[in-house]
Amino acid sequence: MQLVTGGSATASGASAAAGSSLALGGGIATGEGGAPDAAQTCDGKLTGYVRDFNAAQHPDFEPTDFTYPMRVSGKYLADEPGIVEMSLGPDLKPVYAKADGSASATTTGAANFASWFHDTDGLNQGQELTLQFTRDPADPSGKKWFYDSATTMGFFPVDGQLLGATPPLNEGLMHNYHFTFELHTVFKYQAGQVFRFRGDDDVWIYINHQKVVDLGGIHVAEERTVDLSTLALSDGQDYPLDGFFAERHVTDSNFSMETSLEFVKCDIVVPK
């Protein structure tokens, strides 16, 4: 198996992911011919959890290398694969990779990273977020679904909400940047399934608690495709899929997924 990162593939890990949309199958109700009917199981929805941050209070958002709040064109800290370990932690969160907890190229260390995906008084505010997916009209099988933030001019799910509701709204910016999003679900594996993702900034996708997509760092939108056939999965078995996203820098925010995975659990309670 190979893990595809923001750059070249490495021999450790699993496969890679990304592309431009996400899909919801289902594994409970069935449609014509006994095929899973996602509209009856998930209704084209997956529910995750978003946490909002203020860049002035958290050094991992808008690092001082940038001119804030206006971006210098083309000035990015770039890709940083390896920020987190290959395996999820026991709390189903990414594990900061540096054993001594020291800063990495685009983060300020384990202590500050811990708040990215944990509710932390004084640093973030969170709420559930449901993504509505759409069937791919170009797919004759009817199994592909997608979510594409390009249809809403970017991924800005908490504009004017959470910390962004406090004047100046959205930290005085056009949108409420500086947030993270996590998603936990379960899918039933079948040969031939696809999974693509496209987004910025940091993106980590885990299948069966092992990292298969590593788009860590602050960068423009990048995309990856996961070849599930390389992951040694058993046909007909259920596997967890866990996704983590961070928007850390103005002015773009992209989140798009596409897949034919059969999701059988769509509203898993996110560990806080």
Side-chain angles (χ1 to χ4, degrees):
M1 294 186 292
Q2 288 186 316
L3 166 67
V4 178
T5 65
S8 59
T10 62
S12 63
S15 148
S20 67
S21 331
L22 167 69
L24 307 183
I28 303 173
T30 59
E32 183 177 354
D37 188 336
Q40 294 182 36
T41 56
C42 296
D43 194 27
K45 298 176 182 178
L46 287 178
T47 298
Y49 195 80
V50 62
R51 292 176 178 84
D52 188 24
F53 295 79
N54 189 311
Q57 298 175 335
H58 199 298
D60 288 340
F61 296 81
E62 298 299 339
T64 54
D65 301 56
F66 294 90
T67 300
Y68 177 73
M70 297 301 294
R71 182 185 70 189
V72 176
S73 179
K75 187 177 182 183
Y76 294 89
L77 291 183
D79 299 323
E80 190 188 358
I83 293 175
V84 297
E85 297 282 2
M86 284 298 305
S87 299
L88 277 183
D91 60 352
L92 299 183
K93 308 287 186 174
V95 178
Y96 193 72
K98 287 201 173 187
D100 63 357
S102 61
S104 71
T106 67
T107 72
T108 54
N112 286 327
F113 179 79
S115 65
W116 285 28
F117 302 108
H118 291 90
D119 288 353
T120 308
D121 290 343
L123 283 181
N124 61 38
Q125 290 183 9
Q127 65 185 22
E128 288 188 352
L129 173 66
T130 297
L131 301 182
Q132 175 68 63
F133 293 83
T134 303
R135 289 188 187 274
D136 183 353
D139 175 40
S141 71
K143 294 181 179 180
K144 280 189 180 180
W145 293 68
F146 70 90
Y147 176 91
D148 190 350
S149 65
T151 62
T152 56
M153 304 299 290
F155 187 54
F156 301 105
V158 287
D159 277 3
Q161 303 176 52
L162 301 174
L163 295 177
T166 302
L169 298 181
N170 302 329
E171 299 179 75
L173 301 170
M174 182 178 296
H175 294 288
N176 190 5
Y177 295 90
H178 315 130
F179 61 88
T180 65
F181 177 64
E182 66 176 293
L183 181 69
H184 303 268
T185 184
V186 174
F187 69 95
K188 184 178 295 295
Y189 174 66
Q190 294 181 349
Q193 289 173 328
V194 298
F195 181 93
R196 297 188 178 95
F197 184 89
R198 181 175 186 269
D200 65 287
D201 293 300
D202 312 80
V203 178
W204 299 294
I205 305 294
Y206 296 77
I207 290 179
N208 204 23
H209 298 163
Q210 299 300 304
K211 187 170 59 176
V212 296
V213 178
D214 189 341
L215 294 176
I218 298 176
H219 49 72
V220 295
E222 298 178 356
E223 62 182 63
R224 297 292 181 270
T225 298
V226 175
D227 181 359
L228 275 75
S229 68
T230 68
L231 303 182
L233 306 179
S234 297
D235 200 47
Q237 295 297 308
D238 291 353
Y239 294 95
L241 184 148
D242 306 276
F244 302 87
F245 170 89
E247 173 54 45
R248 295 200 278 149
H249 175 46
V250 299
T251 57
D252 298 322
S253 180
N254 298 277
F255 186 98
S256 301
M257 300 174 69
E258 176 185 344
T259 188
S260 57
L261 295 180
E262 260 183 53
F263 288 100
V264 298
K265 292 186 179 179
C266 317
D267 53 358
I268 295 176
V269 175
V270 175
K272 302 301 190 291

